[in-house]
Amino acid sequence: MSLVKIEGLCKSFGGLEVLRDISLDVERGEVIALIGKSGSGKSTFLRCINGLEQMNSGTIHVDAEPVEADERKLQKLRLKVGMIFQQFNLFPHLTALDNTALALRVVKNMSAAEARAVGLARLEKVGLGHRADSRPHQLSGGQQQRVAIARALAMDPVVLLCDEVTSALDPELVEEVLQVIRRLAEEGMTVIMVTHEMSFARSVCSRVVFMHEGRLHEMGHPEEVFGNPKTPELRQFLGQTASAATAE
Amino acid sequence: MTDFTLQQIIYALVLGARWTVLLSLSAFILGGILGLVLMLGTISQRKWVKLPALGFIWLVQATPLLMQLFLIFFGPALFGKDVPAWMAACIALTLWSSAYLAEIWRGSVLAVQKGQTEAALSLAMLRGQALRYVVLPQAVRMALPPTAGFMVQIVKSTALASIVGFTELMKTGNILSNVTLDPFVVYGLVAIVYFCLCYPLSLVSRKMETVFDVTR
């Protein structure tokens, strides 16, 4: 069975259909890029996978754990799914290390010493062992996002959801975060990421999924999707992002 | 007329002020406990918890404290039960401050960004854990200055207890004014005592606004 199995996912906000009958299987070790215009449902799709948004119909399984409304069952699912946000969402009242250690203590009932050891190891993995005692506001945006990655990794998830993780960063800080994700991908982590970094999607991802008006409009290997787009919507989208890139 | 020296007046007022302080403290502590419960009720996901809590707050905030005090003081008398003035004052002020404190604290909790809860939930915390370890620690920092500010309101509102005959600072002032026939001096001194009680609280509140800078 696929690591992440999504079948017939539908979601609407009020009368607005945001996701229409989405089915997607993600195998262990795959790195999936979700691309598409803003409002095409990429973020909502991602947030359904760990139950931050409740779906209206359909099923989602991660590592055989279903997404359900029940809080305890959601907790079991979320132990397997890490999420990283555009706005980092670090806990501002805690140091970088305590950010990574908090859930280990509270959710996994680790001792303080154990949690700190795991947290520190993950901070070192993202190259921030030396900033363990810094508060989020003392760190640059790129460093904050790397702490957020370390925090998610500390829980040992089987899949990592990344929601536009570089969109809030200054251009010169984007690369350090992408590098961390690239390394995770090379180590075999399963990643589903909403991104506007087309060159990153092209070089790192195993599959690119183009979303349009709440549907999976076109998907395939990056070379195929970027090199030979089949639908006019994707061609138009790629044309726009390409001209936007040259305009910069 | 008996002649009172200034010292005697001040001494009597300070004795009366003890009751003002005691009434304020009990209203703040009891009101704080009830306010915390109410606040948790208002942020609950369950409608049958949330609506009564919101309704109570709305009711208390939309009626005058003096009316609430009268209701509690005179109401039970209809059923042959006597409520002592101090108890009526304490109950009324407790209920009144609980509603306002709940509203202040609810605002602070809601002001913590939604992303904080989402991050905590994504780390497999339960809602209660997210509230306890992530949201409340941040909300408390935001809530402290307005809470200290509201204590000033409580102290000043205890003056209403004088109307049902509770001999706190204001009532002591009334009595002294009646016997000395020198209301200007007496109420001037009453004002000074209230000021001495309230001004430090205002200072603390203002100080906390800079110490607990919300952006940090």
Side-chain angles (χ1 to χ4, degrees):
Chain A
M1 189 174 167
S2 311
L3 186 66
V4 180
K5 192 165 185 60
I6 298 153
E7 280 177 304
L9 168 60
C10 293
K11 165 79 186 167
S12 41
F13 291 111
L16 185 70
E17 274 186 88
V18 188
L19 300 176
R20 304 166 197 229
D21 191 24
I22 291 185
S23 296
L24 181 69
D25 285 359
V26 179
E27 304 300 328
R28 201 175 284 272
E30 270 200 292
V31 178
I32 307 260
L34 289 172
I35 62 171
K37 282 191 289 194
S38 57
S40 59
K42 303 169 304 221
S43 286
T44 309
F45 176 43
L46 211 59
R47 290 159 60 85
C48 282
I49 299 177
N50 75 343
L52 282 183
E53 300 287 353
Q54 261 185 29
M55 54 193 162
N56 294 91
S57 60
T59 58
I60 301 177
H61 289 83
V62 177
D63 203 12
E65 207 72 63
V67 175
E68 287 182 49
D70 179 77
E71 197 183 16
R72 296 273 165 184
K73 288 182 182 157
L74 261 186
Q75 183 180 40
K76 279 180 80 180
L77 171 105
R78 283 168 177 162
L79 279 169
K80 304 197 168 204
V81 184
M83 184 149 189
I84 307 161
F85 301 85
Q86 183 176 356
Q87 299 297 339
F88 328 137
N89 294 345
L90 288 182
F91 307 137
H93 60 299
L94 300 177
T95 62
L97 182 55
D98 289 335
N99 262 277
T100 57
L102 178 64
L104 295 174
R105 298 222 324 270
V106 173
V107 180
K108 294 201 167 178
N109 293 318
M110 279 190 191
S111 70
E114 225 181 329
R116 288 173 72 85
V118 175
L120 192 61
R122 296 304 183 276
L123 281 179
E124 275 160 6
K125 194 180 165 77
V126 300
L128 287 172
H130 62 295
R131 301 306 303 268
D133 294 323
S134 304
R135 292 289 195 85
H137 68 92
Q138 296 166 321
L139 300 171
S140 74
Q143 290 174 328
Q144 289 188 48
Q145 193 59 294
R146 281 150 67 197
V147 172
I149 295 173
R151 180 175 70 173
L153 290 179
M155 300 297 284
D156 282 327
V158 297
V159 55
L160 208 53
L161 309 177
C162 302
D163 191 2
E164 301 200 28
V165 292
T166 57
S167 298
L169 295 175
D170 292 336
E172 72 271 21
L173 301 177
V174 168
E175 195 46 44
E176 64 180 73
V177 172
L178 291 182
Q179 237 164 33
V180 171
I181 296 176
R182 184 178 290 127
R183 189 142 34 85
L184 288 174
E186 284 163 6
E187 288 169 10
M189 174 62 85
T190 312
V191 181
I192 306 177
M193 59 191 302
V194 172
T195 186
H196 295 294
E197 299 290 332
M198 294 304 156
S199 60
F200 182 80
R202 193 164 192 157
S203 63
V204 177
C205 294
S206 49
R207 239 192 316 166
V208 175
V209 175
F210 171 62
M211 288 189 67
H212 183 69
E213 292 181 350
R215 293 180 205 281
L216 302 191
H217 204 71
E218 189 170 341
M219 69 174 122
H221 192 269
E223 291 308 323
E224 226 175 289
V225 169
F226 290 118
N228 184 22
K230 293 189 179 55
T231 57
E233 290 82 5
L234 178 55
R235 272 199 293 276
Q236 194 200 7
F237 173 74
L238 290 175
Q240 276 167 359
T241 50
S243 59
T246 44
E248 273 175 26
Chain B
M1 267 307 131
T2 331
D3 272 342
F4 281 88
T5 64
L6 196 63
Q7 273 106 329
Q8 282 173 316
I9 294 176
I10 293 173
Y11 181 67
L13 287 178
V14 170
L15 286 185
R18 289 182 315 176
W19 293 106
T20 294
V21 170
L22 198 63
L23 190 55
S24 304
L25 278 179
S26 43
F28 177 70
I29 292 167
L30 297 175
I33 295 168
L34 184 57
L36 190 66
V37 174
L38 279 173
M39 181 275 282
L40 292 174
T42 62
I43 60 170
S44 167
Q45 305 246 307
R46 298 183 193 92
K47 275 219 164 73
W48 57 270
V49 176
K50 181 177 183 151
L51 293 180
L54 282 173
F56 174 81
I57 293 171
W58 175 77
L59 205 68
V60 170
Q61 292 195 341
T63 52
L65 173 57
L66 184 58
M67 186 225 74
Q68 296 159 15
L69 180 58
F70 279 178
L71 217 57
I72 290 164
F73 186 63
F74 295 116
L78 293 177
F79 307 98
K81 295 237 189 307
D82 257 349
V83 179
W86 66 267
M87 194 190 277
C90 189
I91 293 172
L93 280 163
T94 295
L95 295 180
W96 175 79
S97 43
S98 74
Y100 280 92
L101 287 172
E103 192 70 356
I104 292 172
W105 296 342
R106 186 171 90 101
S108 309
V109 166
L110 295 183
V112 175
Q113 281 174 4
K114 206 169 152 234
Q116 293 288 312
T117 307
E118 290 184 348
L121 293 179
S122 300
L123 290 165
M125 286 189 217
L126 300 170
R127 285 210 160 266
Q129 293 172 327
L131 189 67
R132 156 123 166 61
Y133 295 103
V134 174
V135 176
L136 286 184
Q138 297 178 56
V140 164
R141 276 163 222 234
M142 278 188 268
L144 280 175
T147 302
F150 183 69
M151 283 188 76
V152 174
Q153 301 295 322
I154 296 181
V155 173
K156 290 191 291 183
S157 301
T158 57
L160 289 180
S162 65
I163 299 175
V164 293
F166 180 59
T167 317
E168 37 63 81
L169 178 54
M170 192 69 196
K171 181 74 178 173
T172 311
N174 289 343
I175 296 168
L176 286 171
S177 160
N178 287 343
V179 292
T180 59
L181 298 177
D182 202 350
F184 185 74
V185 170
V186 172
Y187 286 124
L189 288 170
V190 168
I192 290 171
V193 178
Y194 272 118
F195 182 82
C196 292
L197 290 176
C198 293
Y199 187 62
L201 287 172
S202 304
L203 281 187
V204 168
S205 170
R206 222 170 302 162
K207 179 86 184 156
M208 280 197 287
E209 270 172 34
T210 48
V211 174
F212 296 99
D213 185 350
V214 183
T215 57
R216 296 171 50 108

